[in-house]
Amino acid sequence: MVAQREPARGAPPGGESEHFVVVFPGYHRAWGHWIAHRLESHGHRTTLQRWDPDREQPLQEALGDLQLASGRVLLVISDVFLQLGPRTEADWNTVLRGYVAEHADRFAAVNLTNRELLPATAVLEPVNLWGVGEEEAERRLLNRLGLSPRRAPAAQTGYTSRYPNDPPDVWGEVPRRNGRFTGRDVILNELQERLMDAEQGAAVCALVGMAGIGKTHIAAEYAHRFGPDYDVVWWVNCDQRNTQRETFGQLAVELGLDRAGDVGERLRTVREALRKNTPSGRWLLIFDGWEDPEEAATFLPHGGSGHVLITSRNKSWRAATDIKQIAAFRRAESTGYLMRRAPHITAAQADEVAGEFQDLPLQLAQAAAWLGEEGMEVPEYLRMVRGVGLTRLESGTMPDDYPYSSLTSWSMLLNKLRKSEPRAVDLLSLCAVFAPGRIPLGLARGIPTAELPDNLRWIASDRSSWARALDSLVNYSVITRESRVQAGESEQNDSVLMHQVVHSVISELTQGRNNDAVRGTVHRLLVEADPGAPNDSRQWGRYAELLPHLLPSIAPSSKERRVQEMLLNCLRYCYNSGEFTLGAELAASIRTEWGRFLDSDAQQMLSLATLQGNVLRAAGRFREAQILDADRLERLAEVPRSEGPYEEALMEATSCLAADLRLLGQYDEALQRQERVVEVARRLYGPDEGASLLAQHNLAVGLRLLGRYEEAYDTDLDTLRAREQVLRARHPFTLGSGNSCARDLRLLGRYQEALARQELAMRLQLQVLGAQHPQTLMARHNLMLCQRRAGTPRQDIATAMALLLDQQEQVHSRGHYTTLSLMTDYGNFLREHGDLTLARELLTEAEDGFRALLGPAHPVPTAMQSNAGLVLQIEGERDGALNMFEQALAGVTSLLGPDHPVTLGCALNTSGGRHLAEALEDAHELSRDTLERSRRVLGEDHPLTLSCMVAQAIDLRSLRRRDEARAVESDALERLTRSLGAQHQQTLSARQRTRPYWDYEPYLG
């Protein structure tokens, strides 16, 4: 027993202070604290006493101990209180009618249940606080104790507890409270102490233990028991990454935060709000089944005064948080639980059953269900479970350290249900086809009877049988009922929870997954759950719940067109929401199954190919996408030609392959294919239809990659104007065209124009898509490059780049190609402004990442060597730098040709390296040739051309050709002043005769 004494808070004016011992089970801790605080607010003294006496201690003795303190004993009772120990009804009736009746003046009680209590509890004259508001509850409490409502002085009232009947302002799908929850009081109180005593920002605790040990139940009980201490309680199911992200991101809506943008943006918004204790610092996050500590930074706020509770089987959380190892029940907890659920068994028999099942909570729940529901005697039950029975499951999914007898126990239950409750077995067969965890079983009630197999038609038509079957499974601890039905909603929103260990056993024992009719019903359920709007971010939470069940139910094997369209919608969701890894895995599974019964040119297969290529491309798996799209195009070429659908399919396949080729650095072939796509799209749809404008947009990407910036800008500008007319200014595609125009202007050296356009585009991106949508991140990246070229103060850019890199990594990953591009540009910026150590680390990581992603014979990792050379040059490694410059120049010349702007930039750096190595003639020859090419390709006033002029002047001066040098330098300065301004950094550097350089900005399209 644990007692907590609190000092008197002041006596009521005109009255005497009384002392009360407030006695509560751990289950009702919140009520105990509220009652104590209410009494103290009226000037009375209290002692809080959590009461859970050992079963061996006589009840009268335990109650007598409570009277050792002065004052009256106030019992916080309910049906749970009267099962402490457990105690039999006879035990309680005897002590209530005897000892308590003799000391009635020392005892009082409040009742917290609407269920019938033992008749003898009348001696306590309990006042009912169930279901009433706080003001009425306080009035009833004082009236029962004969106290006048006199408030203590305000300064002495101290902390006030939340009224337990008032839920937290935000309550995020915490599982129903387990009315049979037993024991674990020591663990729960220790958890609360750890979290309360932790330093601000470090209150994170992980409950770690084997499957079925009760981690989830402990976390749920913690939420219910201590919920009144919090304003926000949010439960996140972590079985699937996309479900975890969606559920956590949904908290943005509940907190009244900006919910615009994709999942990544909402994650960042929620995490930042909690870190700043907005709207409250009293928050509790519970991550159930989180097995990947590496993703902690994506979700944990790392600040704020709230608490985080994690359940996991992964002991690696030890490095990131406080660990609480959860073991099996203590024997007293096991026997107490069994005796409460099966009152007819003795303590010795409960002890024997607990030993048989090694005190494992999950198995004790099933054993208690047998003994309690059936009234079976322990010797008979143990004889049956110790029989030959089952040994191991074929699937191997049952934990090896589970007792063998537990398998026999489950088999016995299924056999019994087949005889007595066959419809409960029907429901279990359905559950077995889903994934473990939350199962949207209630959707079956919405399927038309005619679409159900004969043996399952009762589900839609017989509501009473449905309720009885579910109740039976709940009573036998096979499932937990998790109803989300709100007022006015359909019971189709009902769901159940099935533990993964139970699911493993049931799946094999029912063989539901091998039953075509059962699988077909589950597939129909999944179709019913499809919102049909994968582009609508408001529906992404629904898709996140669907996704875990697709592969376990073998949905890709279905030949039903509605099921196939549902699968395609789930893939569209994956692409739109940024779940590229999951999308790629799902697409591969679908392709394997569909390939068994669909022709390669079937419409479903063509749609799958497009979606699969999109997610592979977005995930950075370019070569896989290219193989897929090339194969599709080859197969289409073998199909007898027909107008309309054939041309559309061919055009789409060609467009996808062109995108792959652009990413893989095969720019010329990609452009040729994209030109054909534009031609076909305009012929089929007209120049201003969406598909034609998309083809034109992609054509500009190809032109840009080839260094044909003027043509790219003209094409992008034409696309932008058309999209503004057809789609309007705020459409995401229109915003994308605006970004492209700004990029083109920057590459053309028109920095101020580029900056002005990108600033406007950035504001619209934030309003329409949100701050962390991938397109917004790309726009912000381009904005920073525009600012850098236009001369924005460097500190502003440095801070913004560091923040953007963090956001980019959260939305995609460290190794994603867009993150690597930003990493490169940030490294270039840091090198230019003196942080060589971090610059070198970022540039090296980015170059290695691009090489791993694209291979060595790609323009991007090849040109990256020039950036590495600039770092070496500043560090004084002139020979190493020149080697890097020469390799980059030779490589890009071979890959892109001598006139590509990237080649010209590498040539500028190489000429500077030769100059420093005192190969003056070679430097002059290269700078002269580069200047001529740049004038022809980029124009007389392009910043790269002007840099080449400055470099040429320096080389001429080193060769003592001073008159020529003076003329070239004068012309360059005049042009720089006119185009960039007299105070621009490039102009100032030229006046100081500083050798210009060019840093490579990787761009994949």
Side-chain angles (χ1 to χ4, degrees):
M1 294 185 291
V2 179
Q4 178 183 349
R5 293 185 179 272
E6 299 193 12
R9 307 275 181 118
E16 294 184 2
S17 171
E18 292 192 44
H19 177 241
F20 296 92
V21 180
V22 183
V23 179
F24 62 93
Y27 195 91
H28 291 314
R29 171 195 172 277
W31 278 103
H33 279 260
W34 179 81
I35 289 169
H37 287 131
R38 292 300 86 215
L39 292 174
E40 289 165 3
S41 73
H42 292 274
H44 301 286
R45 295 179 297 116
T46 65
T47 297
L48 277 171
Q49 183 77 51
R50 181 173 61 82
W51 198 59
D52 53 349
D54 292 335
R55 186 181 67 243
E56 291 74 15
Q57 185 182 21
L59 192 53
Q60 178 173 321
E61 179 181 312
L63 287 168
D65 288 345
L66 295 176
Q67 295 195 68
L68 295 178
S70 62
R72 279 187 286 174
V73 176
L74 178 63
L75 302 177
V76 182
I77 66 171
S78 65
D79 51 334
V80 174
F81 184 95
L82 298 175
Q83 292 173 352
L84 284 171
R87 311 288 176 170
T88 65
E89 291 186 10
D91 290 339
W92 272 106
N93 282 329
T94 298
V95 77
L96 288 169
R97 291 167 181 159
Y99 181 81
V100 174
E102 294 172 6
H103 301 84
D105 60 325
R106 294 288 309 278
F107 287 98
V110 297
N111 176 25
L112 302 178
T113 181
N114 64 335
R115 289 184 285 270
E116 186 176 350
L117 299 176
L118 296 177
T121 55
V123 70
L124 295 168
E125 300 180 15
V127 60
N128 190 3
L129 302 188
W130 182 84
V132 300
E134 183 172 19
E135 186 175 338
E136 174 63 13
E138 184 173 350
R139 187 193 67 78
R140 292 185 183 187
L141 171 67
L142 296 177
N143 186 59
R144 170 62 184 87
L145 298 175
L147 303 175
S148 299
R150 298 177 178 178
R151 294 290 179 185
Q156 297 178 340
T157 59
Y159 169 82
T160 57
S161 177
R162 178 196 290 274
Y163 181 50
N165 271 350
D166 290 341
D169 299 332
V170 176
W171 182 258
E173 298 197 6
V174 178
R176 283 181 173 182
R177 193 167 198 176
N178 181 3
R180 295 165 175 162
F181 187 87
T182 296
R184 305 297 203 182
D185 281 331
V186 172
I187 292 175
L188 288 164
N189 286 324
E190 182 182 342
L191 278 178
Q192 200 240 5
E193 290 174 6
R194 288 190 185 192
L195 293 173
M196 289 292 185
D197 294 343
E199 297 180 4
Q200 182 167 327
V204 183
C205 189
L207 307 180
V208 175
M210 64 183 289
I213 206 68
K215 303 181 295 294
T216 297
H217 284 291
I218 293 172
E221 176 60 23
Y222 184 93
H224 286 285
R225 185 174 297 191
F226 299 102
D229 293 340
Y230 301 97
D231 295 318
V232 175
V233 177
W234 198 253
W235 184 280
V236 181
N237 187 326
C238 304
D239 286 346
Q240 295 286 331
R241 179 176 181 269
N242 64 312
T243 305
Q244 180 180 2
R245 287 162 56 85
E246 285 289 347
T247 306
F248 186 70
Q250 186 64 23
L251 183 53
V253 179
E254 301 297 328
L255 295 179
L257 305 173
D258 180 12
R259 58 179 177 179
D262 66 352
V263 179
E265 164 61 12
R266 292 198 294 273
L267 294 183
R268 186 198 66 79
T269 302
V270 170
R271 197 174 63 252
E272 187 66 12
L274 296 178
R275 188 182 67 81
K276 295 179 178 178
N277 294 323
T278 304
S280 168
R282 293 170 25 143
W283 49 262
L284 170 66
L285 299 178
I286 300 176
F287 294 92
D288 184 36
W290 195 358
E291 307 300 342
D292 189 2
E294 293 183 1
E295 290 210 332
T298 303
F299 297 92
L300 301 185
H302 295 298
S305 55
H307 300 160
V308 178
L309 195 57
I310 298 165
T311 73
S312 180
R313 287 171 292 165
N314 189 344
K315 295 181 180 180
S316 298
W317 282 104
R318 189 177 304 279
T321 185
D322 189 15
I323 287 284
K324 175 62 181 176
Q325 188 73 38
I326 304 300
F329 273 155
R330 292 180 293 117
R331 183 55 55 87
E333 293 174 325
S334 299
T335 56
Y337 175 72
L338 289 168
M339 292 175 70
R340 282 176 57 187
R341 292 198 61 185
H344 67 285
I345 70 175
T346 67
Q349 289 173 330
D351 187 84
E352 189 175 6
V353 173
E356 179 67 30
F357 293 109
Q358 301 172 18
D359 296 297
L360 294 173
L362 183 64
Q363 274 311 126
L364 290 176
Q366 210 265 322
W370 260 108
L371 296 168
E373 294 295 320
E374 297 299 309
M376 184 179 289
E377 296 298 330
V378 169
E380 180 186 0
Y381 176 68
L382 291 178
R383 178 182 58 78
M384 293 175 67
V385 298
R386 289 168 178 169
V388 177
L390 301 174
T391 53
R392 290 286 94 179
L393 297 181
E394 294 179 4
S395 65
T397 51
M398 188 78 167
D400 291 335
D401 47 2
Y402 263 64
Y404 287 91
S405 51
S406 67
L407 299 173
T408 307
S409 179
W410 285 109
S411 181
M412 288 165 46
L413 174 61
L414 263 293
N415 288 334
K416 178 196 178 301
L417 289 175
R418 287 189 179 100
K419 297 176 182 178
S420 62
E421 289 280 355
R423 290 184 169 177
V425 179
D426 289 341
L427 295 188
L428 283 181
S429 297
L430 288 175
C431 291
V433 181
F434 286 94
R438 182 177 181 270
I439 298 173
L441 200 58
L443 291 169
R445 299 279 298 153
I447 299 178
T449 304
E451 296 187 20
L452 290 167
D454 292 343
N455 67 314
L456 294 177
R457 288 184 176 177
W458 65 270
I459 290 176
S461 60
D462 192 341
R463 185 171 185 175
S464 61
S465 292
W466 169 268
R468 283 197 304 273
L470 283 181
D471 288 344
S472 181
L473 295 177
V474 170
N475 290 337
Y476 280 104
S477 299
V478 184
I479 62 173
T480 302
R481 193 86 177 269
E482 186 203 36
S483 175
R484 297 186 182 186
V485 179
Q486 305 294 327
E489 289 187 357
S490 167
E491 62 183 354
Q492 295 174 33
N493 290 334
D494 277 354
S495 64
V496 301
L497 296 172
M498 181 177 280
H499 192 278
Q500 60 183 4
V501 173
V502 178
H503 186 273
S504 298
V505 177
I506 295 300
S507 295
E508 292 206 16
L509 295 181
T510 63
Q511 293 296 307
R513 194 166 294 175
N514 298 325
N515 186 308
D516 291 340
V518 174
R519 280 205 314 273
T521 302
V522 171
H523 297 163
R524 185 69 177 86
L525 290 177
L526 296 174
V527 170
E528 286 292 318
D530 178 8
N535 298 329
D536 186 348
S537 61
R538 295 170 297 181
Q539 300 295 341
W540 288 352
R542 295 282 300 278
Y543 282 106
E545 292 182 345
L546 269 181
L547 222 61
H549 301 294
L550 300 180
L551 298 185
S553 69
I554 323 178
S557 67
S558 175
K559 297 180 181 180
E560 288 281 339
R561 188 61 182 263
R562 290 178 300 178
V563 178
Q564 293 167 1
E565 187 57 36
M566 177 271 296
L567 291 169
L568 293 174
N569 277 342
C570 288
L571 277 179
R572 293 181 181 104
Y573 150 73
C574 289
Y575 179 70
N576 291 324
S577 67
E579 296 290 352
F580 305 134
T581 301
L582 285 172
E585 293 172 358
L586 176 60
S589 298
I590 296 173
R591 174 169 293 281
T592 299
E593 292 298 326
W594 286 6
R596 304 181 197 277
F597 56 83
L598 286 175
D599 293 334
S600 60
D601 59 342
Q603 183 57 51
Q604 302 96 304
M605 289 294 283
L606 295 175
S607 297
L608 172 62
T610 298
L611 291 168
Q612 187 175 13
N614 286 343
V615 294
L616 288 172
R617 212 175 292 116
R621 295 162 62 175
F622 308 137
R623 295 191 186 282
E624 294 175 65
Q626 188 261 338
I627 292 171
L628 176 72
D629 293 326
D631 179 69
R632 174 169 50 145
L633 197 58
E634 182 178 339
R635 290 178 181 274
L636 281 171
E638 297 172 354
V639 176
R641 292 182 175 244
S642 60
E643 299 300 323
Y646 171 80
E647 282 198 289
E648 291 180 6
L650 191 65
M651 180 190 70
E652 188 173 72
T654 304
S655 179
C656 289
L657 182 59
D660 301 328
L661 295 173
R662 284 194 296 270
L663 291 163
L664 292 171
Q666 301 175 43
Y667 303 144
D668 289 313
E669 182 182 352
L671 184 66
Q672 292 171 14
R673 291 183 181 275
Q674 191 61 42
E675 287 172 338
R676 291 201 293 273
V677 172
V678 171
E679 178 186 344
V680 173
R682 289 174 175 170
R683 176 166 51 81
L684 291 177
Y685 311 121
D688 293 332
E689 200 274 337
S692 300
L693 294 176
L694 177 61
Q696 188 170 297
H697 173 85
N698 290 332
L699 178 66
V701 174
L703 292 168
R704 190 180 307 121
L705 288 167
L706 283 168
R708 294 159 62 175
Y709 300 146
E710 284 284 359
E711 295 174 76
Y713 177 61
D714 290 342
T715 303
D716 277 324
L717 190 59
D718 183 55
T719 306
L720 174 62
R721 288 167 176 164
R723 280 177 165 173
E724 286 176 339
Q725 292 296 317
V726 176
L727 302 175
R728 302 306 180 198
R730 295 170 64 86
H731 191 281
F733 285 1
T734 308
L735 298 178
S737 289
N739 293 334
S740 296
C741 286
R743 182 183 292 274
D744 296 331
L745 287 168
R746 177 172 58 79
L747 293 173
L748 286 168
R750 295 158 64 175
Y751 297 148
Q752 290 298 333
E753 288 181 72
L755 178 59
R757 182 177 288 278
Q758 192 63 52
E759 285 176 336
L760 172 61
M762 191 68 230
R763 288 195 294 272
L764 290 173
Q765 305 272 347
L766 290 170
Q767 293 171 12
V768 176
L769 299 175
Q772 213 151 324
H773 189 280
Q775 184 170 308
T776 306
L777 295 179
M778 293 177 66
R780 191 183 296 278
H781 183 180
N782 190 46
L783 175 62
M784 292 174 189
L785 294 177
C786 291
Q787 290 170 334
R788 181 186 177 197
R789 301 305 178 195
T792 299
R794 68 182 188 183
Q795 189 55 46
D796 295 345
I797 298 176
T799 302
M801 278 191 163
L803 177 60
L804 181 58
L805 182 58
D806 178 61
Q807 294 173 341
Q808 184 77 39
E809 186 176 351
Q810 292 168 17
V811 171
H812 295 296
S813 68
R814 187 81 173 175
H816 194 267
Y817 66 96
T818 55
T819 310
L820 296 176
S821 294
L822 175 61
M823 198 181 295
T824 302
D825 293 328
Y826 186 29
N828 286 333
F829 178 85
L830 292 172
R831 182 211 69 235
E832 184 178 54
H833 295 287
D835 191 345
L836 290 181
T837 301
L838 182 54
R840 186 193 314 106
E841 292 174 0
L842 290 173
L843 291 170
T844 301
E845 182 181 353
E847 183 179 344
D848 292 343
F850 275 125
R851 186 166 283 109
L853 187 66
L854 304 170
H858 189 285
V860 170
T862 302
M864 289 282 290
Q865 295 176 100
S866 191
N867 290 336
L870 291 173
V871 174
L872 290 173
Q873 188 168 268
I874 293 178
E875 292 177 334
E877 297 287 340
R878 295 183 177 181
D879 292 341
L882 180 57
N883 185 49
M884 288 288 101
F885 294 145
E886 296 284 6
Q887 287 187 43
L889 178 57
V892 295
T893 301
S894 173
L895 292 169
L896 301 175
D899 291 338
H900 195 284
V902 169
T903 307
L904 299 176
C906 289
L908 175 64
N909 290 343
T910 305
S911 70
R914 292 178 181 179
H915 182 91
L916 285 175
E918 298 186 359
L920 302 182
E921 288 289 353
D922 291 342
H924 167 256
E925 181 63 26
L926 182 57
S927 64
R928 181 187 59 77
D929 179 68
T930 304
L931 174 58
E932 291 175 0
R933 293 179 186 277
S934 187
R935 281 173 170 159
R936 184 172 66 253
V937 172
L938 297 173
E940 292 280 353
D941 292 325
H942 191 280
L944 180 55
T945 304
L946 300 179
S947 290
C948 292
M949 291 180 69
V950 174
Q952 174 70 355
I954 291 173
D955 288 336
L956 288 169
R957 189 172 290 105
S958 67
L959 294 174
R960 303 183 184 279
R961 296 162 62 175
R962 293 185 176 84
D963 292 340
E964 294 175 73
R966 190 178 301 110
V968 172
E969 181 182 67
S970 177
D971 187 16
L973 288 172
E974 181 182 345
R975 292 177 182 275
L976 281 168
T977 301
R978 184 172 63 243
S979 59
L980 299 180
Q983 298 304 311
H984 191 277
Q985 182 59 44
Q986 190 170 344
T987 307
L988 296 175
S989 294
R991 291 190 185 281
Q992 296 167 359
R993 295 179 176 173
T994 301
R995 181 92 189 194
Y997 58 85
W998 171 86
D999 46 36
Y1000 173 61
E1001 300 169 357
Y1003 172 67
L1004 293 183

